[in-house]
Amino acid sequence: MSTAHPPQDRAGTPDAGDGHPDGAAPTRSRVTFRVNGEPADLTVDHRATLLDVLREDLGLTGAKKGCDHGQCGACTVLVDGRRANSCLLLAVAQDGAEVITIEGLAAGDELHPLQQAFLDRDAFQCGYCTSGQLCSAVGMFAEAAAGHPSHVTDPARPAGRGPVELTPAEIRERLSGNLCRCGAYPHIVAAVEDVTR
Amino acid sequence: MKPYGYVRARSVEEATAAHAAHPGARYLAGGTNLVDLMKHGVETPGTLVDVSRLPLDTVEEPPGGGLRVGATVRNSDLAAHPLVRERYPVLSQALLAGASGQLRNIATTGGNLLQRTRCPYFQDTGTPCNKRAPGTGCAAREGVHRDHAVLGHSPHCVATHPSDMAVALAALDATVELRGPDGERTVPVTEFHRLPGDHPERDTVVRPGELITAVVLPPGTAGLPSAYRKARDRASYAFALASVAAVLDVAGDGTVRHVALAFGGLAHRPWRARLAETALLGAAPTEDALAHAVEAELGLAQPLRDNAFKVPLARNLAHRVLSELAADRP
Ligand SMILES: Cc1cc2nc3c(=O)[nH]c(=O)nc-3n(C[C@H](O)[C@H](O)[C@H](O)COP(=O)(O)OP(=O)(O)OC[C@H]3O[C@@H](n4cnc5c(N)ncnc54)[C@H](O)[C@@H]3O)c2cc1C
Ligand code: SF4
Ligand code: FES
Ligand code: FES
């Protein structure tokens, strides 16, 4: 089942100093989460998305704003190990979350195997979609390993019993939430396949 | 976007109380539809009551059978749940046919049912739309309406309900559990969404402040052969032009013992094809019988100027799915 999020006592604590002058409800709150292993403790406007906070407050500009409406996948990051569109997540709602962005995929100077495969396979042109493709594929590996089916998985296959094999058809379907305007899809699928082999 | 308050609810009681206490409150689950509409200026909440961490994130087997799916279970987890996959395949297939891997990781059962139409005029505050701004007119009726309804629409609104999951739930005879200021109640999914009529601003029968706590899958449809098929403009990550959820159980004597057929993408709510079901129940599911039954239902269709193609599309999808289910039996 889905990871239960323990209720956070500190969660959504309104920042008293930032309320409306007329005494209406505060419109900013303090949140604490971790990004690429580092704690982030900040006061956010309730309207701010996780994408905006990553890019503008934390200087992590790897996650890209393509459409800002969940339609392109350029903003994909991992939240508590699961891939998600950061443009539709409100930052205030992420208190206590563990966020991994493209900046956190490599181990120091050593690229994540998928990053290396993207280089080897020339899996991008302009690169705008790339960080989203990479984070999405890393999330997908975990889903397939956990036996999660996709739209193209044989319906007769029991879920959760052993990993689902990532054939090119599975990869294309599972990565359909990441658009590439340059059309680098064939090389992206090849790079992902390299890592699964 | 105008500033708003934020409250994280820790219990169902806290959620409904916070909703009642804050004018203009909206429940926030995954936010994949609500936040999107807030960015468009269509939703302007005074306060968001965050229900995403309520302890409603489990799938349970009630003593009498069936499954009880908590409102905050994520779409991806529900689709991958072994018991859903095994006993209610149509539901898993419908969920996996919707949105993308990363959206399904965020989207919840409750939020999916309550997502709003994808009519482009509804999302554009610069155009007339009776659903968004009652009394302003319907821009789609004479405008761009290729994706719109062919069944059950009204002069006031021709929008469709976009959920894939809800179509499967309608075919499975699932029910929705609600908790509101006046207590609890249960509504069948088939009566949960409304037809537009004179009040297209009301998508569903949910009353102000009511919280969805669970969706219940009945024991009666557990384990019956079922399937979902969806036609869309690209192979993945697109809303349905038309879709079909079907449950078909053929008895040992070769006659239909149970049948449920629901269409998505054709109406303001998942469309249970009662005429087709009546025609098939107790009959042998021959190719002719299937064709006639589907034809009877789609005879009700009243396509708009630019969406007549949906009628044969839906007919072929329904015929194909039913005929595969009929052929598949042991
Ligand atoms: C690009 C894109 C493509 C998509 N494609 C598809 C598709 O192909 N098929 C499909 O079916 N869907 C599709 N979706 C829609 C998606 O499935 C919905 O946005 C999602 O299911 C909504 O769930 P949520 O938890 O994020 O809801 P939210 O956005 O949090 O809420 C939606 C509504 O429900 C209310 N609400 C939420 N939970 C409760 C509750 N427990 N009780 C009472 N009210 C509640 C909220 O107040 C809000 O009004 C797509 C979305 C996007 C952005
Ligand atoms: S079809 Fe419905 S949602 Fe679309 S413009 Fe007309 S009234 Fe609005
Ligand atoms: S920027 Fe988030 S999906 Fe496009
Ligand atoms: S490489 Fe340019 S959008 Fe994908």
Side-chain angles (χ1 to χ4, degrees), chain A residues 34-113:
Chain A
R34 293 171 73 84
V35 182
N36 302 328
E38 299 288 323
D41 182 346
L42 56 168
T43 297
V44 296
D45 188 303
H46 295 162
R47 295 169 294 183
T49 60
L50 177 61
L51 178 62
D52 287 338
V53 167
L54 289 173
R55 293 180 55 85
E56 282 160 36
D57 296 322
L58 301 175
L60 296 169
T61 53
K64 297 287 183 272
K65 187 180 282 192
C67 65
D68 211 21
H69 287 281
Q71 297 177 359
C72 75
C75 64
T76 304
V77 299
L78 299 166
V79 179
D80 295 328
R82 294 157 65 105
R83 54 185 171 151
N85 310 71
S86 62
C87 70
L88 292 181
L89 295 176
L90 293 179
V92 65
Q94 307 312 312
D95 196 87
E98 188 76 49
V99 180
I100 304 287
T101 68
I102 187 67
E103 288 89 348
L105 275 197
D109 283 343
E110 190 165 332
L111 293 181
H112 185 284

Side-chain angles (χ1 to χ4, degrees), chain A residues 1-12 14 20 25-29 31 45-49 68-73 76 82-90 92-97 132 136 143 147-151 153-161 172-179 181, chain B residues 1-10 22 28-33 35-40 46-48 50 52-54 57-59 72-83 85-86 89 92-94 96-106 118 123 228-230 232 234-237 239:
Chain A
M1 266 335 307
S2 62
T3 344
H5 300 278
Q8 305 279 326
D9 278 332
R10 177 181 77 262
H20 270 301
T27 59
R28 296 163 68 81
S29 295
V31 289
D45 188 303
H46 295 162
R47 295 169 294 183
T49 60
D68 211 21
H69 287 281
Q71 297 177 359
C72 75
T76 304
R82 294 157 65 105
R83 54 185 171 151
N85 310 71
S86 62
C87 70
L88 292 181
L89 295 176
L90 293 179
V92 65
Q94 307 312 312
D95 196 87
S136 184
E143 292 162 9
H148 283 204
S150 84
H151 179 59
T153 309
D154 179 358
R157 183 189 193 283
R161 304 227 188 106
R172 279 194 293 272
E173 165 59 24
R174 289 170 189 259
L175 289 182
S176 72
N178 293 84
L179 305 191
R181 270 331 182 210
Chain B
M1 211 189 290
K2 92 177 167 29
Y4 51 81
Y6 172 86
V7 179
R8 180 172 305 141
R10 291 172 183 76
H22 293 93
L28 172 75
T32 58
N33 189 228
V35 172
D36 192 8
L37 291 174
M38 283 158 52
K39 291 182 185 193
H40 284 298
T47 296
L48 291 182
D50 187 349
S52 66
R53 297 189 196 193
L54 291 182
D57 64 345
T58 56
V59 178
T72 61
V73 171
R74 307 290 158 160
N75 287 177
S76 51
D77 294 322
L78 186 57
H81 195 285
L83 294 180
R85 199 79 182 142
E86 181 191 319
S92 176
Q93 291 169 29
L96 293 173
S100 66
Q102 44 271 67
L103 285 163
R104 293 191 296 270
N105 277 344
I106 316 173
R118 305 303 289 200
Q123 297 178 345
Y228 190 75
R229 186 153 309 171
K230 171 174 177 180
R232 38 188 162 174
R234 57 185 182 200
S236 185
Y237 198 22
F239 287 93

Side-chain angles (χ1 to χ4, degrees), chain B residues 30-227:
Chain B
T32 58
N33 189 228
L34 183 57
V35 172
D36 192 8
L37 291 174
M38 283 158 52
K39 291 182 185 193
H40 284 298
V42 174
E43 286 282 2
T44 53
T47 296
L48 291 182
V49 177
D50 187 349
V51 297
S52 66
R53 297 189 196 193
L54 291 182
L56 301 173
D57 64 345
T58 56
V59 178
E60 283 157 19
E61 281 188 88
L67 285 181
R68 189 168 184 280
V69 180
T72 61
V73 171
R74 307 290 158 160
N75 287 177
S76 51
D77 294 322
L78 186 57
H81 195 285
L83 294 180
V84 174
R85 199 79 182 142
E86 181 191 319
R87 298 180 194 166
Y88 303 99
V90 64
L91 176 57
S92 176
Q93 291 169 29
L95 284 160
L96 293 173
S100 66
Q102 44 271 67
L103 285 163
R104 293 191 296 270
N105 277 344
I106 316 173
T108 63
T109 311
N112 190 314
L113 275 177
L114 288 174
Q115 62 175 301
R116 311 294 312 268
T117 184
R118 305 303 289 200
C119 173
Y121 304 106
F122 175 73
Q123 297 178 345
D124 177 356
T125 55
T127 59
C129 169
N130 289 325
K131 186 181 280 299
R132 175 173 35 74
T136 55
C138 170
R141 202 157 231 300
E142 301 303 324
V144 176
H145 57 222
R146 174 181 172 272
D147 297 346
H148 288 60
V150 296
L151 285 164
H153 50 72
S154 82
H156 306 286
C157 179
V158 294
T160 60
H161 193 267
S163 168
D164 291 296
M165 180 191 80
V167 183
L169 292 179
L172 290 169
D173 291 313
T175 53
V176 185
E177 292 184 356
L178 295 158
R179 180 87 63 87
D182 306 325
E184 290 179 61
R185 62 184 184 120
T186 299
V187 179
V189 169
T190 50
E191 290 160 32
F192 184 82
H193 297 96
R194 299 176 63 260
L195 288 180
D198 294 342
H199 286 286
E201 73 281 9
R202 294 187 211 146
D203 291 357
T204 67
V205 300
V206 174
R207 298 175 192 143
E210 273 185 324
L211 180 76
I212 298 178
T213 52
V215 166
V216 177
L217 300 166
T221 48
L224 299 184
S226 68

